[in-house]
mmCIF file of all heavy atoms in Angstrom:
data_model
loop_
_atom_site.group_PDB
_atom_site.id
_atom_site.type_symbol
_atom_site.label_atom_id
_atom_site.label_comp_id
_atom_site.label_asym_id
_atom_site.label_seq_id
_atom_site.Cartn_x
_atom_site.Cartn_y
_atom_site.Cartn_z
ATOM 1 N N ARG C 197 15.083 -7.776 -3.339
ATOM 2 C CA ARG C 197 14.678 -8.992 -2.754
ATOM 3 C C ARG C 197 13.734 -8.863 -1.593
ATOM 4 O O ARG C 197 13.071 -9.823 -1.199
ATOM 5 C CB ARG C 197 15.909 -9.812 -2.338
ATOM 6 C CG ARG C 197 16.885 -10.150 -3.391
ATOM 7 C CD ARG C 197 16.265 -11.060 -4.456
ATOM 8 N NE ARG C 197 15.808 -12.332 -3.971
ATOM 9 C CZ ARG C 197 15.210 -13.202 -4.745
ATOM 10 N NH1 ARG C 197 14.996 -13.007 -6.000
ATOM 11 N NH2 ARG C 197 14.861 -14.405 -4.213
ATOM 12 N N GLY C 198 13.766 -7.720 -0.871
ATOM 13 C CA GLY C 198 13.000 -7.655 0.337
ATOM 14 C C GLY C 198 13.698 -8.426 1.425
ATOM 15 O O GLY C 198 14.847 -8.856 1.282
ATOM 16 N N ARG C 199 12.975 -8.708 2.487
ATOM 17 C CA ARG C 199 13.527 -9.425 3.642
ATOM 18 C C ARG C 199 12.588 -10.541 4.024
ATOM 19 O O ARG C 199 11.419 -10.296 4.224
ATOM 20 C CB ARG C 199 13.778 -8.476 4.786
ATOM 21 C CG ARG C 199 14.334 -9.155 6.051
ATOM 22 C CD ARG C 199 14.905 -8.057 6.962
ATOM 23 N NE ARG C 199 13.915 -7.036 7.216
ATOM 24 C CZ ARG C 199 13.107 -7.004 8.313
ATOM 25 N NH1 ARG C 199 13.220 -7.995 9.215
ATOM 26 N NH2 ARG C 199 12.241 -6.006 8.443
ATOM 27 N N LEU C 200 13.108 -11.763 4.035
ATOM 28 C CA LEU C 200 12.268 -12.910 4.401
ATOM 29 C C LEU C 200 12.156 -12.996 5.864
ATOM 30 O O LEU C 200 13.136 -13.197 6.597
ATOM 31 C CB LEU C 200 12.886 -14.214 3.857
ATOM 32 C CG LEU C 200 12.132 -15.513 4.155
ATOM 33 C CD1 LEU C 200 10.827 -15.512 3.491
ATOM 34 C CD2 LEU C 200 12.930 -16.694 3.655
ATOM 35 N N LEU C 201 10.940 -12.784 6.386
ATOM 36 C CA LEU C 201 10.725 -12.793 7.881
ATOM 37 C C LEU C 201 10.777 -14.199 8.392
ATOM 38 O O LEU C 201 11.511 -14.479 9.297
ATOM 39 C CB LEU C 201 9.386 -12.101 8.164
ATOM 40 C CG LEU C 201 9.311 -10.613 7.915
ATOM 41 C CD1 LEU C 201 7.888 -10.091 8.234
ATOM 42 C CD2 LEU C 201 10.324 -9.824 8.637
ATOM 43 N N ARG C 202 9.950 -15.080 7.872
ATOM 44 C CA ARG C 202 9.835 -16.442 8.342
ATOM 45 C C ARG C 202 9.390 -17.384 7.184
ATOM 46 O O ARG C 202 8.673 -16.945 6.272
ATOM 47 C CB ARG C 202 8.843 -16.557 9.449
ATOM 48 C CG ARG C 202 9.254 -15.945 10.837
ATOM 49 C CD ARG C 202 10.453 -16.694 11.395
ATOM 50 N NE ARG C 202 10.884 -16.083 12.638
ATOM 51 C CZ ARG C 202 10.466 -16.487 13.871
ATOM 52 N NH1 ARG C 202 9.598 -17.437 13.991
ATOM 53 N NH2 ARG C 202 10.897 -15.845 14.955
ATOM 54 N N ILE C 203 9.807 -18.626 7.288
ATOM 55 C CA ILE C 203 9.263 -19.735 6.463
ATOM 56 C C ILE C 203 8.674 -20.733 7.394
ATOM 57 O O ILE C 203 9.340 -21.266 8.363
ATOM 58 C CB ILE C 203 10.365 -20.358 5.581
ATOM 59 C CG1 ILE C 203 10.953 -19.347 4.619
ATOM 60 C CG2 ILE C 203 9.773 -21.512 4.816
ATOM 61 C CD1 ILE C 203 11.994 -19.923 3.674
ATOM 62 N N HIS C 204 7.396 -21.048 7.191
ATOM 63 C CA HIS C 204 6.701 -22.031 7.987
ATOM 64 C C HIS C 204 6.395 -23.280 7.086
ATOM 65 O O HIS C 204 5.800 -23.126 6.030
ATOM 66 C CB HIS C 204 5.427 -21.481 8.570
ATOM 67 C CG HIS C 204 5.615 -20.247 9.461
ATOM 68 N ND1 HIS C 204 5.885 -20.376 10.807
ATOM 69 C CD2 HIS C 204 5.647 -18.943 9.164
ATOM 70 C CE1 HIS C 204 6.007 -19.156 11.317
ATOM 71 N NE2 HIS C 204 5.888 -18.271 10.357
ATOM 72 N N ARG C 205 6.802 -24.394 7.635
ATOM 73 C CA ARG C 205 6.510 -25.657 6.917
ATOM 74 C C ARG C 205 5.651 -26.551 7.764
ATOM 75 O O ARG C 205 5.846 -26.633 8.971
ATOM 76 C CB ARG C 205 7.837 -26.342 6.536
ATOM 77 C CG ARG C 205 8.662 -25.575 5.556
ATOM 78 C CD ARG C 205 9.953 -26.323 5.283
ATOM 79 N NE ARG C 205 10.767 -25.630 4.277
ATOM 80 C CZ ARG C 205 11.708 -24.676 4.526
ATOM 81 N NH1 ARG C 205 11.918 -24.321 5.775
ATOM 82 N NH2 ARG C 205 12.374 -24.168 3.572
ATOM 83 N N ALA C 206 4.665 -27.173 7.116
ATOM 84 C CA ALA C 206 3.776 -28.078 7.884
ATOM 85 C C ALA C 206 3.450 -29.264 6.964
ATOM 86 O O ALA C 206 3.388 -29.094 5.684
ATOM 87 C CB ALA C 206 2.476 -27.408 8.289
ATOM 88 N N PRO C 207 3.313 -30.468 7.504
ATOM 89 C CA PRO C 207 2.929 -31.629 6.701
ATOM 90 C C PRO C 207 1.600 -31.351 5.976
ATOM 91 O O PRO C 207 0.619 -30.930 6.563
ATOM 92 C CB PRO C 207 2.856 -32.757 7.740
ATOM 93 C CG PRO C 207 3.656 -32.327 8.892
ATOM 94 C CD PRO C 207 3.509 -30.839 8.916
ATOM 95 N N LEU C 208 1.604 -31.675 4.705
ATOM 96 C CA LEU C 208 0.396 -31.486 3.952
ATOM 97 C C LEU C 208 -0.676 -32.548 4.325
ATOM 98 O O LEU C 208 -1.863 -32.223 4.433
ATOM 99 C CB LEU C 208 0.637 -31.598 2.427
ATOM 100 C CG LEU C 208 -0.394 -31.089 1.456
ATOM 101 C CD1 LEU C 208 -0.783 -29.694 1.725
ATOM 102 C CD2 LEU C 208 0.064 -31.245 0.045
ATOM 103 N N HIS C 209 -0.240 -33.764 4.509
ATOM 104 C CA HIS C 209 -1.098 -34.863 4.916
ATOM 105 C C HIS C 209 -0.723 -35.277 6.320
ATOM 106 O O HIS C 209 0.427 -35.670 6.552
ATOM 107 C CB HIS C 209 -1.072 -36.026 3.974
ATOM 108 C CG HIS C 209 -1.494 -35.596 2.560
ATOM 109 N ND1 HIS C 209 -2.757 -35.564 2.162
ATOM 110 C CD2 HIS C 209 -0.693 -35.238 1.480
ATOM 111 C CE1 HIS C 209 -2.834 -35.172 0.906
ATOM 112 N NE2 HIS C 209 -1.602 -35.006 0.444
#
Side-chain angles (χ1 to χ4, degrees):
R197 300 297 299 178
R199 180 163 52 96
L200 180 62
L201 295 179
R202 289 293 178 94
I203 297 181
H204 300 271
R205 296 180 175 88
L208 192 59
H209 299 277

